[in-house]
Amino acid sequence: MSIQNAMQSGVSGLFANGSRMSYVGNNIANSQTVGYKRQFADMVSMTAGGRADSATTVRTVSRMDMLSQGTMMTTNRATDLAVVGSGFFVVGLDTAADVNTTGHRLSRAGNFRIDEQGYMVNSAGHYLYGFAYNEEGQIGPVDRGGFRDLQAVNVGQISMRGNATDRIEYSANLPAQQTGLADPPEPFITSVEYSNPLGGAERLVVEWQPGATANECELRVTDQHGGNYGSLTVNFHDSGANAGAPSAYDFTALGPNAAFDPATGVLELTIPNGTTPQTIEVELGAPDTFDRLTQFAGDYAPEGVRRNGSATASLSHVEITEDGVLHGVFENGSRRALYQIPIAEVVNPEGLQEADGNAYILGIEAGTLTLRNSGGAKGYIASGVLERSNVDLAQELTDLIEIQRAYSSNAKIVQTADEMLEETTRLKR
């Protein structure tokens, strides 16, 4: 090898180690960046000219450590997300990204927040994308190999549409010792909420008046508007196998807007709160059963009121489960699936092209894209967790020292070769 070849090798080493230094600097600077993947350079030797006496130089090949995962940091914020395992979130530059690859990105940065318009956006300004559920709670057929069926996740204008109540299950124990008294006690009163056809909340008032006859209690039902549905009397068994259960109902005192089925113990109320009256069935329990009403010694105990229907409610907050489903939790306690957040998988993650904002663009070398559901052996989406950078600062500082030494050694080669050439030049004088 000639002096010129040695100098050429040294110069290539200076450029290569300078390039390696830039990667180490990037890694150290992003050691606290959420979801950042370490970059590094492989050193590859080259022979200029292809001859045996040619200079052997070196160049760098850029690489990203996409396969190792950073440690998980708990934040307890529902919109902080992390992919535990392989894969990426699908994000977009705006809320209407193109269906091709130009508007979409893949990212591991899951530090999402809900902005003023209701969109979920991370700290780099990328919008989270997912498959939207319809009103029936279904997604339907979607393209799992592309972006065309994805939508920017938005929870800003979502509310729960009300459903009218048509059935109430009423359970209570009526104190046996309060019946058959010469001076009857005050009635026991319970307020029962139901939803009207417009999604509003209204109430029925249920009054139980212990009767002067033992084991007998009178039920009176009114509504919050002063409507009176009349009354019915319940008689209870006081002995035998059915002691404490209803024995018979007397419903002759019910009003015109109420009807009763003595075989099933269902009280039907017709509530005139619209052009078409609302009908609600109140289950009190069939005779000789203990399912709803009972009469035992003790206190009045309304053990439970269950009803269907729901009032119109605004969104309270969101929850994301491990299956990647973003649920809306409403002010009335109802839950509804809003979006399925997929995990994007590519055949060769290291073939992705780096983009601004800690994100990546699909390239030919990345291979086929698949949008799979969260869960299973490949990984899942965790809520309230963020993935830290996979940079190991101790390793980077060690590499920094090695690069510095290698750079100094290559500089020494160039310096020595220069001195030798200078000496050779002096030989001619």
Side-chain angles (χ1 to χ4, degrees):
M1 179 181 290
S2 65
I3 296 175
Q4 290 87 348
N5 288 347
M7 181 173 286
Q8 188 175 353
S9 296
V11 170
S12 69
L14 291 175
F15 280 111
N17 282 285
S19 178
R20 288 182 64 198
M21 177 73 78
S22 68
Y23 288 116
V24 172
N26 288 341
N27 292 338
I28 294 176
N30 286 281
S31 61
Q32 300 302 313
T33 301
V34 172
Y36 177 82
K37 295 301 181 182
R38 175 178 176 266
Q39 300 176 341
F40 61 98
D42 284 339
M43 305 286 277
V44 180
S45 63
M46 300 177 63
T47 302
R51 302 192 308 272
D53 60 345
S54 299
T56 300
T57 60
V58 65
R59 67 182 179 89
T60 58
V61 177
S62 176
R63 296 280 302 279
M64 289 185 294
D65 185 6
M66 302 294 289
L67 300 180
S68 65
Q69 184 168 279
T71 58
M72 295 298 168
M73 172 179 63
T74 301
T75 67
N76 295 320
R77 290 188 292 264
T79 56
D80 281 339
L81 306 177
V83 177
V84 181
S86 62
F88 303 84
F89 298 108
V90 178
V91 296
L93 298 176
D94 52 40
T95 60
D98 297 334
V99 296
N100 55 28
T101 59
T102 59
H104 290 87
R105 302 284 188 268
L106 304 184
S107 179
R108 299 277 294 194
N111 47 347
F112 295 102
R113 296 291 181 273
I114 299 175
D115 69 7
E116 66 278 3
Q117 295 179 317
Y119 289 99
M120 286 186 63
V121 57
N122 67 15
S123 57
H126 290 143
Y127 295 87
L128 178 65
Y129 273 71
F131 298 114
Y133 284 88
N134 58 25
E135 290 289 340
E136 288 71 38
Q138 298 176 346
I139 293 178
V142 291
D143 181 8
R144 295 280 179 174
F147 301 122
R148 65 188 182 93
D149 291 325
L150 292 171
Q151 299 179 22
V153 174
N154 186 300
V155 297
Q157 302 297 324
I158 294 176
S159 61
M160 175 68 74
R161 187 178 64 186
N163 295 310
T165 299
D166 62 13
R167 196 164 191 86
I168 295 174
E169 298 176 1
Y170 181 87
S171 301
N173 179 67
L174 305 172
Q177 74 278 7
Q178 297 288 343
T179 65
L181 301 178
D183 186 12
E186 292 294 321
F188 306 113
I189 300 175
T190 300
S191 178
V192 178
E193 183 178 282
Y194 68 93
S195 299
N196 64 29
L198 297 179
E202 297 189 5
R203 291 186 176 275
L204 295 173
V205 178
V206 177
E207 295 186 18
W208 291 100
Q209 177 61 63
T213 302
N215 308 309
E216 184 179 281
C217 210
E218 182 186 41
L219 169 64
R220 294 191 291 265
V221 180
T222 58
D223 62 30
Q224 66 183 49
H225 306 295
N228 190 341
Y229 298 92
S231 64
L232 61 81
T233 301
V234 188
N235 293 289
F236 292 90
H237 292 284
D238 63 357
S239 59
N242 293 324
S247 61
Y249 293 93
D250 180 357
F251 52 94
T252 56
L254 287 176
N257 289 330
F260 189 77
D261 184 349
T264 61
V266 174
L267 173 64
E268 183 178 284
L269 305 177
T270 302
I271 302 175
N273 55 0
T275 304
T276 301
Q278 179 179 3
T279 300
I280 299 179
E281 294 183 345
V282 182
E283 294 186 7
L284 300 176
D288 303 331
T289 66
F290 299 89
D291 296 338
R292 296 287 177 261
L293 295 180
T294 59
Q295 180 195 250
F296 294 106
D299 295 328
Y300 170 67
E303 297 172 353
V305 177
R306 298 176 57 186
R307 62 179 179 85
N308 62 5
S310 60
T312 301
S314 300
L315 186 69
S316 172
H317 60 280
V318 297
E319 295 177 354
I320 299 96
T321 52
E322 288 187 4
D323 57 0
V325 178
L326 185 150
H327 294 270
V329 181
F330 297 85
E331 292 175 343
N332 61 2
S334 300
R335 289 166 55 91
R336 194 178 87 202
L338 303 178
Y339 292 91
Q340 171 75 55
I341 301 172
I343 295 179
E345 296 271 7
V346 293
V347 176
N348 176 28
E350 293 189 357
L352 294 169
Q353 301 174 12
E354 188 179 8
D356 288 340
N358 197 14
Y360 308 94
I361 302 173
L362 286 177
I364 296 177
E365 296 182 359
T368 306
L369 170 74
T370 302
L371 301 177
R372 67 173 179 84
N373 288 340
S374 172
K378 287 189 174 181
Y380 62 92
I381 293 175
S383 175
V385 177
L386 289 177
E387 179 187 6
R388 295 179 183 270
S389 164
N390 66 351
V391 172
D392 182 349
L393 275 177
Q395 181 63 50
E396 298 300 325
L397 293 175
T398 300
D399 291 347
L400 194 63
I401 295 172
E402 293 178 352
I403 293 170
Q404 182 183 16
R405 290 176 176 173
Y407 191 91
S408 297
S409 298
N410 282 280
K412 189 64 176 178
I413 291 174
V414 175
Q415 180 183 3
T416 301
D418 179 64
E419 291 174 356
M420 292 175 67
L421 287 174
E422 185 179 350
E423 185 66 27
T424 300
T425 301
R426 284 199 297 267
L427 290 175
K428 296 168 63 179
R429 297 175 184 172

